[in-house]
Every structure is written in C-alpha cells, then in structure tokens.
Amino acid sequence: AILALVGFFLWKSTTRPEPVPLVASQEEVATGFAILSRLIDAQWQDGGDSPSVGDSLSAGHLRLKSGVAQIEFFSGATVLLEGEAHFEIVSEQRARCHYGRLRAKVPPAARGFPIATPDTEVVDLGTEIGIAVARNGSSEIHVIAGEVELHTGQELVTSLKTGEAITLERGLPNHRMAADSEAFANLEALEPQSQAEDRARFDRWQKHSRQLRRDPRLIVYYSCDQPQPWHRRLINEAGDPE
C-alpha cells in the first residue's frame, strides 16, 4: 500500500497538465470598397452621410452638393466626382452614377470596371473617361483615353475609343461627337486649390493643438509634428503653450 501511494504521488508530479487552448483575439480589419482620398471645396447634401478625407467607403450612396470628391477604389479605379451629383458605390469593382458628372481613371489592373447610369452600363477597358448624367437619365460618355463598351442589359450597344464621345437617350445612342476632356474636372488643374485646402486643414489642426496643450485638465499630450528627429523618445507637451 505504501509503495502504491508513493508511486501515485510520483506519477502526479511528472504528469503535465493539458495545455489551455489559446483564444484568438478579434483583430480589427479594414472594411469598405474605396477610400475618400480628397475633397476640394466640397459640401454634402443635407440628410445624407458627410464622409471626410481618409474615410473608408462601403456600399452606399454619396450625394455631393457642390465641389469635387476623389474616390479611390480598392480595385485601382479612381473617380473624380463633381457636385451636384448622386453617386453609388456598389462594390470595389462596380459603381453607379444616378446623376452628375465624373471623371474616371481605370488602370490595367482594374480593366473592365463598370459604371452604370440609369439606362446603360459603361464598361471601362482600362481608360480615362468622362460621364455626365442628367436628372432625366440622358447621358454623355466621353473617352479621353483608351476604350469603353456601352451595354444595355447583356447587349453590347456600341464601343468608343480615344477622342470619341456619344449622347444616349433611354440607353440608345443618339449623337456622336468629339470627346471634350475640358468638360470634366481635372485633378492637375485643381491641384493648387487642393494644396490650399490641405494647408488650411493643417492650420486648423495646429490651432486646435495649441488650445489643447493649454488645457489645465490635460495630463499627457504627444504631438505628431515634433520638429526634432525621432530618437525613440516621446515628449509630453501638456502645458506647453507652443
């Protein structure tokens, strides 16, 4: 009996406990199909969403009252939307323009990116195009570079190449003409205004930062614009008037 008891204790001391399974923590992941990368003098219509620069955009409607908004899809396509416009993000590889004007750039990686209008679908075959949709549904398609196909349902209506444009009524070709790239917003032409808005936004942040530092309730404040080189040391700027 003594030997059995000693053997039992020796067995218990050498037996390892069963490992406890690790539960993976929930990791936050980015959601959405596009990013709002730039706003130029933009105002959103009342009653709808008012996204800011850097916001991730999921499927849904964007109603721009005025100004210009740049939307970069994760598929690689970029849309420059002009207000007044009603634009819908369907997925990272599809969009819809209910009315308004836009300029879209589709690199080879996003070839086949479709933008629907009320009565047709513009399939962008790696191009730069301009689309104007009136509230009554009539539209103009301008091919600034490359090629597009126009579809009504599953049927190919027509194709356009660089320098060509067309008007559509009820999804049917109405009038062919020369493409006019100047009729649509161009980010290069808007760059000075965009830079001015970036500087104004930074100035507003700096003003808020100075006010925050002087708040007597503030205990710790680490700024992201410290002028000195980073040496793995953060400086607490709480209480610093500058």
Side-chain angles (χ1 to χ4, degrees), residues 153-164:
Q154 299 297 321
E155 182 181 354
L156 173 62
V157 177
T158 188
S159 63
L160 299 172
K161 295 184 178 181
T162 301
E164 297 179 336

Side-chain angles (χ1 to χ4, degrees), residues 189-209:
L190 295 171
E191 189 62 26
Q193 186 177 355
S194 176
Q195 291 179 356
E197 291 211 1
D198 289 343
R199 288 193 297 269
R201 186 163 53 248
F202 181 68
D203 290 342
R204 290 194 297 271
W205 176 85
Q206 284 188 316
K207 181 179 179 180
H208 175 71
S209 176

Side-chain angles (χ1 to χ4, degrees), residues 58-225:
S58 301
H61 298 259
L62 296 173
R63 292 175 171 87
L64 187 64
K65 183 177 181 180
S66 61
V68 177
Q70 179 175 281
I71 303 164
E72 296 187 29
F73 286 80
F74 294 155
S75 62
T78 300
V79 170
L80 203 60
L81 185 66
E82 301 177 55
E84 184 179 8
H86 176 189
F87 185 76
E88 181 183 358
I89 295 174
V90 180
S91 71
E92 68 178 21
Q93 297 178 339
R94 182 178 294 272
R96 181 176 290 110
C97 181
H98 294 270
Y99 64 83
R101 306 176 72 85
L102 64 87
R103 188 183 192 116
K105 289 186 178 182
V106 178
R111 178 184 171 89
F113 184 86
I115 301 177
T117 69
D119 52 14
T120 191
E121 186 170 79
V122 183
V123 180
D124 202 323
L125 303 178
T127 66
E128 183 175 359
I129 62 173
I131 299 177
V133 181
R135 285 183 177 271
N136 64 5
S138 62
S139 58
E140 293 183 12
I141 313 299
H142 296 244
V143 183
I144 300 168
E147 182 181 2
V148 300
E149 291 180 348
L150 307 180
H151 294 256
T152 299
Q154 299 297 321
E155 182 181 354
L156 173 62
V157 177
T158 188
S159 63
L160 299 172
K161 295 184 178 181
T162 301
E164 297 179 336
I166 197 170
T167 61
L168 295 154
E169 296 287 347
R170 298 180 181 178
L172 298 176
N174 184 33
H175 173 66
R176 284 182 176 266
M177 53 192 175
D180 183 7
S181 63
E182 300 298 325
F184 300 91
N186 186 340
L187 193 58
E188 293 179 358
L190 295 171
E191 189 62 26
Q193 186 177 355
S194 176
Q195 291 179 356
E197 291 211 1
D198 289 343
R199 288 193 297 269
R201 186 163 53 248
F202 181 68
D203 290 342
R204 290 194 297 271
W205 176 85
Q206 284 188 316
K207 181 179 179 180
H208 175 71
S209 176
R210 289 192 294 268
Q211 293 174 344
L212 189 61
R213 294 175 195 181
R214 292 193 292 265
D215 192 327
R217 299 169 298 176
L218 189 66
I219 298 174
V220 175
Y221 178 63
Y222 297 117
S223 172
C224 63
D225 67 335

